[in-house]
Structure formats: C-alpha cells, structure tokens
Amino acid sequence: MPKTSARLLALLSLLQTRRDWPGALLAERLDISLRTVRRDVDRLRELGYPIAAVKGPDGGYRLSAGSELPPLLFDDEQAVALTVALQIAATTLGDRTGEAAARALTTVRQVMPSRLRHRVKALQITAVDRPVTRPAAPIGTGVLLAISSAVHAREILRFDYGPETAEQPPRRVEPHHVVTWDGRWYLVAWDLDRSDWRTFRVDGISLRTPNGPRFTPRQLPGGDVGTFVTGRFRGAADGVTGWPCQGTVILDLPAATVARYTREGIVEEVGPGRCRLTLGSWSWPSLAAALARFDTEIEVVGPAELTDAFDHLARRFARTAAGPPPVGPVDQVRARSR
C-alpha cells in the first residue's frame, strides 16, 4: 500500500478527472479497501477539499467547488502551461490583474518540484504589444468579473459609456461575450435602444446597478464570436464579411514566397514563379499599397476600383519623386515681401 501522502495525491488526481467516482472503482484503481477510501476522503475534506458524497446504488464521491481555494494538483504539462500563461498575463495586463498574475507566477514557481523548476526557469517570455497612439486605460478585475457574470447569467446590463454621459441615458444591452483584441477588452452585446449589435470598450464602461431582467440570447451574425469580431474590426458593413475592399492580382513571385508574408490573403499558384493573390484592406489605396510592397510586376485581375487605386498612387508618387515645383521670380518677390 502506498504511503498516506502519496495515496491522498493519487486520490485527489482521480477525483479531478471525472464528475462522479463510485467508491468501489476508486478502491480498485488505488488498490485499497473501501474503508481506506472513506478515511482518505475525510482527510482531504480536513485539508479544505469540498468532496461530496454521491447517493446511489454504488455510492461514490464528487469533487465540488468550495468557498475557499485549497491546494491544487497539476501534472507536469499543466504546470508548464500555467507558467507560460501567467508570464504572458503578467506582461500584457498592466493593471491589478497583471500584478496578481505576477504574484501567482511567483507562488507557482516556489512550490514546483525541482525537475520542473529548472525547466521553467529557462522559460522567460516577454509579450511586447505593438505601439498604439492611445493605450488602453487600466481595467480592474471587478469590472471584468461583473460583466462576465452578467454574460453568464444572461442579465441585461445598464451602464454609462464614454466621458460625456451626464446628459445621456444609460445604455441598455444584452451582453453576450467579453473578448480581448489588440491589447484591449471589449464587450460584444445587443444594444436594446439601437436594435443592433455593438462592441464596447470595457475601459469606457461605468456600470450601473442593479442589472436588468434575464434575456434569451440571440444568434450572433456569422455564427460565432470570432467571425463577428474579426468582421467588425475589419470595417465590414454587416460586421461579418471580410474587408470592405478586396481585390485579386497576379504577382511574378512563387506562391510559397508570397504565402510567407501574407497573413489573411489567399495565395494560389498559377505557374512557375507566378501566383494569384486575393487580399483585403480598409480602402482601395491602402490595398494597392499593400500589394506594391511585394516589389514585383503586378497584374490586376479585379475589380476596376483596384486598378484606379494603382493609378491614383502612381500619380501621387510621381509628384513626390519630382519634388516641389521650382520657385519662379514672382514667387521670390512675394516671399521677400512677407
């Protein structure tokens, strides 16, 4: 029979793998008697683990959620994954949540066995956000938890939004998802007063209490939150489809080369050293500029707006290359008289 401490850890590990465990099956898996199972369950309860007895023909046990956080048990892969997640959270969340993640990371490292501590010690991750003109305001965990709770409970939220809301009535929405995009937190919700889907930056939300009544969730356009949010931030009119401007060209480059530098485009090989690329952007000039970065011959397949955008940029670049117009005698006299 294994030592008591090892046996308790094995029992706890089993209880975490499924909802209900018949006592006889636990005894068989641990190679102990039912009496020992009952005694070990009592010891785990004394340590703070909320293990409930399950009624039924076979009887059994269930590890439930409790009011306090007892010691947790992770396997090696879970411990490494937790370390990576906490490092990313500590460097990307610049508020109290990030500080809490840093403290949790220290705690996890301290209790790790030496075989894991040496592995994760060499795992130093720094998440670098791309520069933004206006960084996101810090968000407390209380706001995120309150909004997430309303999403889970399907309760209507009321809140003030933005800096100038003194004369405005509170927004009333059916909250559906809390998402993070490009370093900011957003609430995806159905706006009851505007009868449309909206995305709200969480750092601009000032919650009002209490919440409103429960609601029946609506179907998001696109079928899932990922498709919807991606479409909205691409500027799609319906919030679902791709970029508002999309075109296709033929490039004098191998498809394998273009694919390495294209995140969202569709690359198709059309012949030796040539490929077809379909790409989208916010506007036709920006799409033409994005295609020009490949520094090769470009044949526009369509639409005509993309051809016009290349012509527009060509004339602009020609003026830039020619430099400022020469200053004539009249201009020189005017300049001296000012």
Side-chain angles (χ1 to χ4, degrees):
M1 182 181 299
K3 293 182 179 179
T4 302
S5 58
R7 195 174 67 243
L8 290 177
L9 288 176
L11 173 59
L12 181 59
S13 179
L14 288 175
L15 289 172
Q16 292 178 151
T17 59
R18 54 186 283 181
R19 179 174 174 80
D20 297 328
W21 275 93
L25 184 57
L26 284 173
E28 178 184 345
R29 293 287 295 270
L30 297 172
D31 194 21
I32 56 178
S33 65
L34 274 173
R35 182 180 179 182
T36 304
V37 170
R38 288 192 293 269
R39 189 166 56 244
D40 288 349
V41 166
D42 289 337
R43 290 194 180 101
L44 289 175
R45 287 169 175 164
E46 292 173 358
L47 292 173
Y49 292 95
I51 302 175
V54 178
K55 297 180 179 180
D58 300 328
Y61 301 95
R62 175 187 303 161
L63 182 61
S64 306
S67 58
E68 296 181 356
L69 187 65
L72 302 177
L73 181 66
F74 300 104
D75 59 30
D76 287 8
E77 291 183 353
Q78 289 174 325
V80 173
L82 180 62
T83 302
V84 173
L86 288 174
Q87 283 197 47
I88 294 175
T91 55
T92 57
L93 300 177
D95 54 9
R96 286 175 295 180
T97 305
E99 296 175 1
R103 295 198 307 272
L105 178 61
T106 301
T107 302
V108 170
R109 283 173 171 168
Q110 287 175 344
V111 299
M112 277 185 174
S114 58
R115 68 178 186 278
L116 285 181
R117 193 179 301 114
H118 293 310
R119 288 175 59 187
V120 301
K121 186 177 181 180
L123 188 63
Q124 299 294 330
I125 299 173
T126 301
V128 179
D129 292 335
R130 67 179 186 179
V132 294
T133 305
R134 292 183 298 175
I139 300 173
T141 55
V143 176
L144 285 175
L145 289 175
I147 296 176
S148 298
S149 297
V151 171
H152 180 73
R154 300 175 180 175
E155 294 177 345
I156 292 175
L157 274 178
R158 300 183 310 119
F159 55 83
D160 296 321
Y161 190 65
E164 299 178 358
T165 57
E167 304 299 328
Q168 302 293 331
R171 306 295 286 267
R172 299 183 310 116
V173 303
E174 296 175 355
H176 281 257
H177 294 84
V178 177
V179 301
T180 179
W181 177 281
D182 200 17
R184 289 188 171 94
W185 292 94
Y186 294 87
L187 168 66
V188 177
W190 174 264
D191 194 312
L192 291 169
D193 298 314
R194 291 157 179 80
S195 298
D196 194 12
W197 290 96
R198 291 288 193 269
T199 54
F200 301 93
R201 277 179 50 174
V202 175
D203 58 357
I205 290 177
S206 298
L207 292 173
R208 290 198 182 189
T209 56
N211 294 342
R214 295 173 62 88
F215 63 90
T216 301
R218 304 169 191 263
Q219 182 67 33
L220 265 175
D224 64 88
V225 67
T227 301
F228 173 78
V229 172
T230 301
R232 277 296 168 101
F233 283 100
R234 285 175 175 175
D238 58 1
V240 177
T241 56
W243 295 103
C245 301
Q246 184 169 289
T248 302
V249 297
I250 302 294
L251 301 178
D252 283 348
L253 287 173
T257 301
V258 174
R260 287 201 302 266
Y261 303 99
T262 305
R263 294 182 57 187
E264 296 184 338
I266 300 175
V267 183
E268 305 169 85
E269 187 172 3
V270 297
R274 303 187 78 211
C275 69
R276 179 186 291 107
L277 172 61
T278 301
L279 198 64
S281 187
W282 293 91
S283 66
W284 294 112
S286 66
L287 177 57
L291 293 167
R293 68 189 173 93
F294 287 101
D295 192 22
T296 186
E297 295 299 317
I298 301 174
E299 175 188 340
V300 176
V301 177
E305 290 86 350
L306 181 56
T307 302
D308 295 340
F310 275 111
D311 179 65
H312 171 73
L313 290 182
R315 287 184 279 108
R316 175 182 294 172
F317 292 158
R319 291 193 300 269
T320 302
V327 179
V330 176
D331 296 322
Q332 293 177 356
V333 173
R334 289 176 177 174
R336 287 195 296 268
S337 63
R338 289 177 182 173

